[in-house]
């Protein structure tokens, strides 16, 4: 059983079995297409190494990172069979590092193609790569004009073994958006210029747009980590991240007393305030000031006042006194207060809530079949009130 440190100000529980279950759900939707995984940004804040190992155990072999450094950090933890694909491609002059660290670049521009070709010439062998084409994001990848240039002079790709052509969807979570079909058409058109290369278009939401969008390889990220893939529909993904913050102290305040910076909240009655050791330095966004709710032993407590750097304050007037001791853990992200719900209150997206998760949290990986402990074992011995409460777990779609 992994002990939750009494001195940790907050505990982030990461359910690796839920990541695996989410991967399986996405893979089943894909049919014959292969399911990769976006593990960039430290697997959306949840820990690239542990998440990638769990996904590898589930059969994932294509791992997408953004930066070369992320790929280099991940490489020693994954077996040879795992392909690490760097979506930003090579920083100028760092091409040889891709060979040294067994990473595959995405080639996004003609200069990146030329540099990769130069390395292939030096190495006197064909080097693998994925080519990205821009179909509507105007962010990364070759433009239609640049693809035409490649068609005119196909020697520009000599020495490059293009395994896949990829592109990225701008509006995939909005299924009714006509841009999805426009990008699909453009992708189909432009990829013809890379005969023999496989296709990769779908992120999480793209998988839910249907088989036309699947091609050969999907690159889901957010849905693996529990974020809802389709706007306005029940979330079929399992929640992965649970956050608990610790009460530092409580106090009673009279009516008409302000709380926090800027005195933005004022009590309307005699109130009890609990101060919790999570703040904006931990990724609890300041835009969550005076909104949102926490749960203490299942009882709702509104967040009041501004989010400080290291603390938030809760109105716990309605919470049983016995549950308000210093050191008690308060549920901040839970099955009843999901990443997507919190994001909506903060005026952002679940992606930003996850990737902001703080470095000060004690991280507690649950259900890690690749390590000694299992959730079943933890649950069986769960007599300590500092252990995580399984009642708060569940599918977001069911309990949200
Ligand atoms: C090029 C690319 N592919 C795949 C993904 C994964 O997308 P999602 O997290 O929406 O599944 C991203 C994420 O931003 C991306 O930029």
């Amino acid at each position: 059983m992994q002990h939750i440190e009494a001195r940790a100000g907050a505990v982030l529980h990461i359910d690796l079995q839920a990541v695996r279950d989410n991967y399986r759900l996405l893979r089943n939707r894909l049919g014959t297409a292969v399911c990769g995984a976006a593990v960039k940004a430290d697997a959306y804040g949840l820990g690239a190494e542990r998440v990638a190992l769990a996904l590898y155990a589930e059969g994932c072999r294509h791992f997408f990172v953004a930066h070369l450094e992320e790929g280099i950090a991940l490489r020693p933890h994954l077996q040879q069979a795992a392909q690490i694909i760097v979506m930003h491609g090579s920083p100028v002059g760092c091409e040889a590092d891709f060979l040294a660290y067994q990473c595959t670049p995405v080639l996004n521009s003609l200069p990146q193609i030329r540099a990769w070709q130069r390395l292939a010439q030096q190495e006197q062998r064909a080097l693998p790569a994925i080519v990205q084409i821009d179909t509507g994001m105007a962010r990364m990848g070759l433009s239609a004009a640049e693809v035409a240039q490649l068609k005119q002079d196909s020697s520009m790709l000599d020495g490059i073994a293009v395994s896949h052509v990829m592109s990225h969807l701008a509006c995939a979570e909005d299924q009714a958006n006509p841009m999805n079909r426009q990008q699909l058409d453009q992708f189909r058109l432009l990829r013809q210029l890379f005969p023999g290369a496989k296709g990769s278009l779908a992120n999480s939401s793209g998988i839910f747009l249907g088989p036309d969008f699947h091609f050969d390889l999907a690159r889901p990220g957010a849905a693996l980590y529990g974020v809802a893939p389709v706007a306005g529909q029940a979330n079929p993904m399992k929640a992965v991240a649970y956050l608990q913050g610790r009460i530092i102290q409580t106090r009673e305040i009279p009516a008409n007393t302000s709380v926090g910076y800027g005195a933005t909240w004022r009590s309307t009655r005699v109130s009890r305030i609990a101060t919790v050791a999570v703040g904006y330095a931990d990724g609890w966004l300041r835009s969550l000031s005076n909104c949102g709710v926490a749960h203490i032993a299942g009882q709702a407590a509104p967040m009041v006042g501004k989010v400080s750097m290291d603390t938030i304050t809760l109105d716990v007037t309605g919470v049983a006194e016995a549950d308000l001791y210093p050191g008690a853990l308060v549920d901040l992200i839970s099955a009843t207060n999901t990443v997507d719900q919190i994001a909506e209150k903060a005026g952002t997206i679940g992606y930003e809530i996850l990737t902001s998760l703080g470095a000060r949290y004690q991280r507690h990986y649950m259900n890690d079949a690749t390590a000694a402990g299992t959730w079943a074992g933890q649950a069986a011995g769960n007599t300590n009130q500092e252990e995580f409460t399984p009642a708060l777990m569940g599918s977001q779609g069911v309990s949200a």
Side-chain angles (χ1 to χ4, degrees):
M1 189 190 311
Q2 181 176 340
H3 179 64
I4 294 174
E5 294 284 352
R7 60 175 183 259
V11 187
L12 179 66
H13 306 264
I14 298 154
D15 185 350
L16 293 174
Q17 186 56 49
V19 175
R20 292 177 64 157
D21 291 347
N22 288 340
Y23 178 80
R24 218 173 318 116
L25 184 148
L26 297 173
R27 190 174 59 196
N28 290 342
R29 283 197 81 101
L30 281 168
T32 55
V34 170
C35 192
V39 294
K40 62 196 174 112
D42 203 21
Y44 291 41
L46 300 180
E49 181 190 328
R50 300 292 288 265
V51 165
L53 278 172
L55 288 169
Y56 188 91
E58 199 57 47
C60 181
R61 295 292 179 268
H62 298 79
F63 296 88
F64 291 86
V65 295
H67 294 262
L68 174 57
E69 284 297 341
E70 294 179 311
I72 290 173
L74 192 55
R75 184 74 270 175
H77 305 291
L78 287 178
Q79 299 182 33
Q80 297 286 316
Q83 191 178 0
I84 298 176
I85 300 153
V86 178
M87 293 199 285
H88 286 183
S90 179
V92 175
C94 298
E95 289 75 20
D97 290 343
F98 280 78
L99 303 185
Y101 295 98
Q102 293 171 297
C103 293
T104 306
V106 172
L107 305 177
N108 294 297
S109 66
L110 295 180
Q112 282 189 341
I113 287 176
R114 282 189 211 104
W116 197 238
Q117 192 182 47
R118 273 197 300 278
L119 185 64
Q121 280 161 359
Q122 282 164 25
E123 292 284 316
Q124 298 185 337
R125 62 185 166 109
L127 296 180
I130 290 179
V131 170
Q132 177 154 213
I133 54 180
D134 176 30
T135 56
M137 280 281 278
R139 183 180 73 165
M140 302 241 282
L142 304 175
S143 66
E146 287 169 325
V147 174
Q149 247 179 288
L150 283 182
K151 186 181 163 61
Q152 276 192 339
D153 181 2
S154 59
S155 71
M156 288 170 82
L157 288 172
D158 283 352
I160 301 179
V162 180
S163 65
H164 295 78
V165 176
M166 69 172 259
S167 192
H168 194 48
L169 296 165
C171 307
E173 71 286 355
D174 174 10
Q175 295 197 328
N177 198 310
M179 186 133 179
N180 295 323
R181 185 52 57 174
Q182 286 161 18
Q183 284 195 264
L184 176 63
D185 291 344
Q186 183 73 347
F187 187 63
R188 282 179 168 151
L189 184 74
L190 294 180
R191 75 181 280 255
Q192 286 171 13
L193 302 173
F194 300 86
K198 292 176 176 170
S200 176
L201 182 62
N203 62 340
S204 300
S205 305
I207 293 172
F208 291 80
L209 289 174
D212 279 359
F213 289 80
H214 293 168
F215 294 92
D216 302 293
L217 172 64
R219 314 180 304 270
L224 290 172
Y225 312 122
V227 172
V230 184
Q233 286 187 19
N235 186 358
M237 312 315 299
K238 287 189 177 167
V240 170
Y242 300 86
L243 179 63
Q244 296 183 300
R246 215 179 270 288
I247 294 178
I248 304 167
Q249 71 171 135
T250 62
R251 72 185 62 245
E252 193 176 275
I253 56 170
N256 200 26
T257 304
S258 71
V259 172
Y261 283 118
T264 58
W265 187 85
R266 200 165 272 281
S267 57
T268 56
R269 56 177 176 174
V270 174
S271 302
R272 182 162 282 287
I273 301 296
T275 303
V276 174
V278 168
Y280 61 76
D282 303 296
W284 197 259
L285 305 179
R286 197 156 181 271
S287 52
L288 287 164
S289 296
N290 282 308
C291 61
V293 67
H295 292 88
I296 303 170
Q299 305 151 90
M303 297 188 190
V304 296
K306 291 269 191 211
V307 176
S308 299
M309 184 183 289
D310 314 298
T311 54
I312 48 175
T313 33
L314 308 176
D315 178 358
V316 293
T317 313
V319 175
E321 189 65 33
D323 295 318
L324 293 176
Y325 55 93
L329 286 168
V330 169
D331 295 303
L332 297 174
I333 301 177
S334 64
T336 47
N337 198 25
T338 67
V339 166
D340 288 309
Q341 288 170 323
I342 294 163
E344 201 180 329
K345 287 191 183 113
T348 181
I349 51 176
Y351 298 64
E352 195 177 21
I353 299 295
L354 287 179
T355 55
S356 301
L357 288 168
R360 293 193 292 195
Y361 299 149
Q362 184 197 351
R363 284 165 180 250
H364 173 214
Y365 287 92
M366 302 152 54
N367 288 323
D368 188 356
T370 62
T374 64
W375 171 248
Q378 291 172 27
N382 189 10
T383 51
N384 181 340
Q385 59 184 340
E386 290 202 341
E387 292 294 328
F388 186 43
T389 312
L392 290 164
M393 297 172 63
S395 157
Q396 294 184 356
V398 173
S399 49

